Amino acid sequence: MSSPTPPSHRPTLADVADAAGVAISTASRALAVPGRGNPGTRDRIIRIAKDLGYTPTAASGTASTPSTRMVAVLVSDVTNPFYFGIIRGTQQALRVAGYSQILVHTEESPEMEESTLEELRSSYDGAILTASRLSDERLAELSAELPLVALNRAVPGVPSVFIDTPLGFDQAVEHLASLGHRRICYVAGPPTSWASNLRWRAVAAACERLGIEHTKVGPYQPRTKAGAAAADAALNTGATACVAFNDLLAIGMLIRLKERGVRVPEDMSIVGCDDIFGADFCNPPLTTLTAPIEQAARLSVSMLLDRLQSERIGASALNRRHIAALPTHLTVRESTGSAPRRTPGGDS
């Protein structure tokens, strides 16, 4: 079998995987975790990597690798105000520690997350993955290969900072039940969102406990412009209240409901999530879940720097398995009110 032709650019892990005919995750395991996987496949990947001239970058911060004093912060949508507090919090904490921040917009794409981590690997010491769209399994594999922290996720085997939105969604359902609502709709976020699935399960569990009908519409992109379709779909369910994946969707729903002559909260109550800048400026001001976003950002930096220090001195990496949970709470504003006597669609 002939040797693969080296690419014109600096060889990447993706080049090795493509030449070997395997997934990037398979190539990564073969090169980073000795003894894992099929021996024949592993030997072939190692040989191809050598032929291409690819050399895996060692974990930064070790005795043999100089520190870049840079940390990559990956966000799924840099235009979402939810991330403003995270970006501000990570940058401030990193600056105090003598680090700079590389901000990466991954466009809700798990493929872009993974390719960015690989292509920039020589430029950063560690990474903070915010609301990652990668699977738990892949995050655990990456955590074994490079220093990272998952923010707004809870991943076994990976240092994680988890914002406990399920607790807040339970409070939201309790709030709506106290107002007499007996039919609630959850407006789902992206299908690749770990948080969206978790929030739906929290809504469903709370509704079942309280004997409330519940349904789901979506998935939708977590953007204001998706709120129009979400509002139309929610109206078709006959629900008198909606809890949305995030504030941007909820705000888009408020706009659409006003266009259709549906009064909020007299005809339909709306609950958002994140308490972004502007949530209290809506018409009406949005009831939403408030989270300690900047605290979560600072904590993620602290966990990452602890791991870098542990690897630098060869200490035990017990903190790699640590998961920190931060609570959320419901902030009640004017977008929620008593259940109407008739549903928004006119049914009794």
Side-chain angles (χ1 to χ4, degrees):
M1 182 178 179
S2 60
S3 299
T5 302
S8 56
H9 56 272
R10 177 179 175 271
T12 67
L13 185 60
D15 294 322
V16 175
D18 183 62
V22 299
I24 292 177
S25 58
T26 301
S28 177
R29 284 194 300 272
L31 296 171
V33 187
R36 290 279 300 273
N38 180 279
T41 301
R42 183 176 66 249
D43 292 344
R44 179 164 56 89
I45 292 170
I46 292 173
R47 177 181 56 77
I48 289 174
K50 182 178 179 181
D51 290 343
L52 291 176
Y54 171 79
T55 303
T57 305
S60 296
T62 63
S64 60
T65 306
S67 172
T68 66
R69 308 300 291 181
M70 302 287 285
V71 166
V73 177
L74 280 63
V75 299
S76 57
D77 183 0
V78 75
T79 66
N80 186 339
F82 168 75
Y83 293 107
F84 295 171
I86 288 176
I87 294 168
R88 184 167 54 248
T90 53
Q91 180 165 308
Q92 289 173 349
L94 287 167
R95 184 173 65 246
V96 169
Y99 282 77
S100 296
Q101 174 170 287
I102 302 173
L103 181 63
V104 181
H105 175 201
T106 61
E107 301 178 14
E108 301 282 351
S109 167
E111 293 80 15
M112 185 173 290
E113 277 189 64
E114 187 157 351
S115 63
T116 297
L117 287 171
E118 165 59 25
E119 291 166 4
L120 296 180
R121 185 64 192 94
S122 62
S123 302
Y124 63 86
D125 292 353
I128 296 172
L129 277 57
T130 303
S132 175
R133 301 314 189 207
L134 294 169
S135 67
D136 283 2
E137 179 185 20
R138 186 59 189 137
L139 282 172
E141 291 171 349
L142 286 170
S143 183
E145 301 164 14
L146 60 92
L148 65 81
V149 171
L151 175 54
N152 207 20
R153 283 284 290 271
V155 185
V158 178
S160 307
V161 179
F162 171 52
I163 299 174
D164 192 0
T165 51
L167 173 64
F169 274 81
D170 185 89
Q171 293 176 4
V173 173
E174 291 268 8
H175 168 65
L176 294 171
S178 75
L179 295 172
H181 293 276
R182 292 296 175 264
R183 190 180 299 176
I184 293 175
C185 175
Y186 174 66
V187 181
T192 55
S193 170
W194 175 87
S196 183
N197 294 327
L198 198 65
R199 292 168 190 179
W200 163 238
R201 292 198 296 270
V203 169
C207 286
E208 289 172 5
R209 186 181 73 250
L210 297 169
I212 295 174
E213 293 182 45
H214 54 286
T215 187
K216 178 173 71 170
V217 296
Y220 298 102
Q221 289 300 306
R223 300 186 176 96
T224 304
K225 64 182 180 181
D232 291 344
L235 286 172
N236 288 336
T237 69
T240 61
C242 293
V243 287
F245 167 72
N246 75 348
D247 285 347
L248 293 181
L249 265 176
I251 291 169
M253 293 179 70
L254 292 178
I255 295 170
R256 177 60 170 172
L257 291 172
K258 184 177 182 179
E259 291 174 349
R260 294 193 56 174
V262 178
R263 299 170 302 167
V264 178
E266 292 85 356
D267 301 325
M268 171 83 81
S269 286
I270 302 292
V271 178
C273 179
D274 296 334
D275 202 6
I276 63 172
F277 177 79
D280 54 342
F281 300 157
C282 299
N283 184 21
L286 186 64
T287 294
T288 184
L289 272 63
T290 301
I293 296 174
E294 289 198 33
Q295 180 186 352
R298 291 191 296 270
L299 182 56
S300 67
V301 169
S302 177
M303 292 175 66
L304 180 63
L305 296 181
D306 283 349
R307 178 170 177 184
L308 289 172
Q309 178 65 17
S310 296
E311 295 192 356
R312 186 174 296 114
I313 64 177
S316 171
L318 291 176
N319 65 324
R320 294 185 187 181
R321 297 191 293 271
H322 182 60
I323 297 177
L326 298 178
T328 58
H329 66 272
L330 185 70
T331 297
V332 178
R333 298 193 181 104
E334 296 170 27
S335 68
T336 52
S338 299
R341 294 184 179 182
R342 298 174 64 86
T343 64
D347 297 331
S348 298

